[in-house]
Amino acid sequence: MPFAFTLPTTSALPFSSFVHSTTHPSLPLAASTHRSVFRSVLKKHKRLPPSSRTSYLSTILATFDDYLPYLLTLEAALCGKPVNGEEIDLALKKEIDVEWRTTLTATIPGREPPRVKGKGLDFEVSFVLHTLTCLYTLQARAQLLALYGAITPTAEQRTAIITTATKQLLQANSIHNYLASRAAKIDASCAILETLAQTQGGLAALALAEATLLAVLKDDPYPAVVAQDRNKNDKDWMIKPPEIPKVRAHLFARLCLAAAEHAGKAEAMLSASGRIDEALIKYVNGLKRTSRAKACRFFGIDADLGGETGQGIAWLTGAKKQLGFAGAKDEGSKMKGLAKFKKDWTERREDKKIERGGEWGSDAGRLEELRVIEMLEQKWNKINDTINTQLIPPSDPLVANMPLGRDIHSVKSFVPPSLDDDTLTRMRAPPDVDEMSDGDDDESGSDEGEKAQAGLPGAFPGSSSTPSNDNSYY
């Protein structure tokens, strides 16, 4: 958690070939130059090994911050809107034509997602902002990975990590909502999957669900105890056992139910298109299950704090049913052993993913929540068998009567950036002759072009990619 999005790549787009300005002649060239840098870092990120991509996200975000004000200034000028009170005369030479590689479309395993071609500056703006939301989500993942590192973070470090990740997810949520409102004005029949209003609305609900669960995780001590217990490098247990403070269990349960509602909304909106990648749909479904299981666990904690341990155990049984792991107890011992072996193998595989820092968390935290539930179940069953001896009621009526969720985050509107006055003033000067290449002329607009530039197999570096017809030896 959160979902591991793939950053898209794009073709070249020299704005000077499509637009020109009489008042700010340097604006199209400057926008092309910054876009060329942004395109280059996206392609470099794609070629990096998975272990090195996380550290490169800050570089992409820096180039994005440079490019986005120019892009949105071009859009405002084409719509006849003033920028910082200044009128910009911008006219189209021909319709803008650009390609982006879709990353949400379901494809055949092992095959790269296709490129999609769009016309107009709206298409470019939508894909650029969608890329920004993916960047924020991936940065949140990088932050949260530190919670499961070899060195167990302190309580203050844990709070800082979760707070930073929450802010990044809320930023992604605000941009998704902004894109959904933009896409509502476009004909859905000709829109690409990433530019559909229902896609962006579903992704906005998903980011809000993840941010809501992080608000709970910040004050939830149980996942930290479980993570510390399975950390082989942690030696704090030799000094003192971990302290588990009392939590506001009923409030946390309501927050988890709100996260489940947002995840359910995201699942419905994303599934409606029928073209979304199955990995994303599976993750959203897992997040909904995990959120409801957390709510059951907190209701159980609330019951245990009130002295009703039997009811607390029933809530834990309901939580396991929400995760999809209940039912093995009533089956034969052979099936129970097979189920336990499969679960242990899956847990070890997930731990290996976390150690490598790769595609961890694809189950949306289901295994992590199961570990917490089993820890509490073992503890409460032991207490109930030896001290309290309370009857354990059925769990289904308890789960069926859960209350509605409660939101904690207020969604903020996205404020599009624009160029400052000094930069706009510099754009009034004519473009430099040495920079008239637009920065993209030497680059191909497709991956096939990159392969062609690499030269013939077995040829010397720098040799021509096409065989020569010259028969001379020298």
Side-chain angles (χ1 to χ4, degrees):
M1 193 179 74
F3 185 72
F5 287 102
T6 302
L7 294 181
T9 54
T10 180
S11 64
L13 178 59
F15 285 108
S16 298
S17 302
F18 298 96
V19 296
H20 73 279
S21 175
T22 57
T23 58
H24 298 74
S26 294
L27 180 59
L29 178 61
S32 299
T33 303
H34 286 88
R35 189 187 188 278
S36 175
V37 177
F38 176 61
R39 173 176 177 257
S40 298
V41 296
L42 283 179
K43 298 178 78 172
K44 182 177 180 180
H45 176 269
K46 179 182 177 181
R47 300 188 190 105
L48 290 174
S51 58
S52 304
R53 291 177 181 173
T54 300
S55 59
Y56 199 66
L57 293 176
S58 58
T59 302
I60 303 176
L61 189 59
T63 59
F64 183 93
D65 292 337
D66 292 336
Y67 170 54
L68 184 60
Y70 285 92
L71 176 62
L72 296 182
T73 299
L74 288 176
E75 183 188 39
L78 283 177
C79 296
K81 299 178 181 178
V83 179
N84 293 339
E86 186 172 350
E87 296 290 340
I88 300 177
D89 181 25
L90 193 69
L92 276 175
K93 296 180 182 178
K94 57 181 179 179
E95 187 69 22
I96 293 177
D97 192 357
V98 65
E99 290 183 352
W100 280 84
R101 188 176 297 281
T102 176
T103 56
L104 298 181
T105 305
T107 56
I108 299 175
R111 181 174 297 180
E112 197 170 22
R115 283 179 175 267
V116 290
K117 181 180 292 187
K119 293 185 177 295
L121 201 59
D122 285 340
F123 183 79
E124 171 75 4
V125 173
S126 297
F127 252 97
V128 167
L129 290 178
H130 174 72
T131 305
L132 179 59
T133 61
C134 296
L135 277 171
Y136 282 137
T137 305
L138 292 176
Q139 283 193 321
R141 277 179 58 87
Q143 288 283 336
L144 296 174
L145 183 59
L147 299 178
Y148 309 98
I151 301 177
T152 302
T154 63
E156 293 77 12
Q157 293 173 339
R158 180 180 175 84
T159 301
I161 290 171
I162 297 176
T163 301
T164 303
T166 303
K167 290 180 180 178
Q168 291 164 339
L169 288 174
L170 290 177
Q171 287 175 321
N173 169 262
S174 64
I175 300 174
H176 281 306
N177 286 323
Y178 175 76
L179 288 174
S181 63
R182 284 175 58 100
K185 306 174 185 177
I186 303 175
D187 183 13
S189 61
C190 60
I192 309 302
L193 185 60
E194 279 82 352
T195 61
L196 287 174
Q198 63 181 10
T199 302
Q200 293 299 326
L203 293 176
L206 173 60
L208 186 58
E210 292 169 335
T212 304
L213 282 187
L214 288 186
V216 176
L217 181 63
K218 184 172 64 173
D219 296 320
D220 184 6
Y222 296 95
V225 172
V226 172
Q228 183 178 1
D229 181 62
R230 73 173 190 265
N231 187 357
K232 300 177 181 179
N233 300 311
D234 187 80
K235 304 299 180 184
D236 289 346
W237 61 271
M238 301 175 65
I239 303 174
K240 62 176 181 178
E243 298 179 358
I244 303 180
K246 291 185 178 181
V247 297
R248 296 168 290 177
H250 197 273
L251 173 62
F252 289 170
R254 296 282 300 277
L255 296 180
C256 291
L257 288 174
E261 293 170 4
H262 294 309
K265 177 182 177 181
E267 184 181 17
M269 297 183 73
L270 294 174
S271 301
S273 66
R275 297 177 290 164
I276 292 287
D277 186 10
E278 285 297 325
L280 178 57
I281 299 297
K282 183 178 179 181
Y283 171 84
V284 177
N285 180 265
L287 186 68
K288 182 178 67 174
R289 287 174 171 268
T290 302
S291 301
R292 290 184 62 85
K294 283 180 179 289
C296 292
R297 169 166 65 88
F298 281 116
F299 281 128
I301 294 173
D302 187 58
D304 179 68
L305 292 175
E308 299 179 353
T309 306
Q311 185 176 347
I313 297 173
W315 276 112
L316 295 183
T317 303
K320 293 176 72 173
K321 289 182 179 180
Q322 293 297 321
L323 291 176
F325 291 107
K329 181 182 293 186
D330 301 330
E331 299 173 357
S333 59
K334 180 179 180 181
M335 191 63 189
K336 181 179 179 180
L338 290 175
K340 185 177 184 303
F341 174 77
K342 180 180 178 181
K343 183 179 74 69
D344 293 342
W345 178 79
T346 306
E347 289 179 354
R348 288 195 300 269
R349 186 177 63 175
E350 185 68 17
D351 290 341
K352 290 294 183 180
K353 289 182 181 179
I354 293 176
E355 291 177 5
R356 293 192 298 265
E359 302 299 322
W360 63 278
S362 58
D363 65 340
R366 289 175 65 230
L367 283 176
E368 182 183 2
E369 181 61 25
L370 179 63
R371 286 167 167 166
V372 177
I373 291 172
E374 289 180 339
M375 179 192 72
L376 290 175
E377 190 177 37
Q378 182 180 5
K379 176 183 176 182
W380 292 353
N381 275 320
K382 184 176 181 180
I383 294 175
N384 193 54
D385 292 342
T386 57
I387 301 175
N388 293 335
T389 317
Q390 297 181 4
L391 292 175
I392 301 176
S395 60
D396 292 340
L398 296 175
V399 176
N401 293 320
M402 286 194 297
L404 296 176
R406 174 180 173 182
D407 286 315
I408 187 174
H409 295 301
S410 57
V411 179
K412 297 182 179 180
S413 300
F414 172 67
V415 179
S418 60
L419 292 177
D420 54 60
D421 295 336
D422 294 338
T423 305
L424 281 176
T425 302
R426 291 196 299 270
M427 295 298 102
R428 289 183 174 274
D432 191 351
V433 179
D434 296 335
E435 298 178 358
M436 292 299 291
S437 64
D438 264 352
D440 273 324
D441 293 347
D442 59 338
E443 297 187 25
S444 172
S446 64
D447 294 340
E448 288 76 8
E450 294 175 14
K451 295 177 182 178
Q453 290 180 1
L456 292 175
F460 287 102
S463 61
S464 175
S465 60
T466 57
S468 174
N469 294 327
D470 188 2
N471 294 325
S472 64
Y473 290 103
Y474 304 101

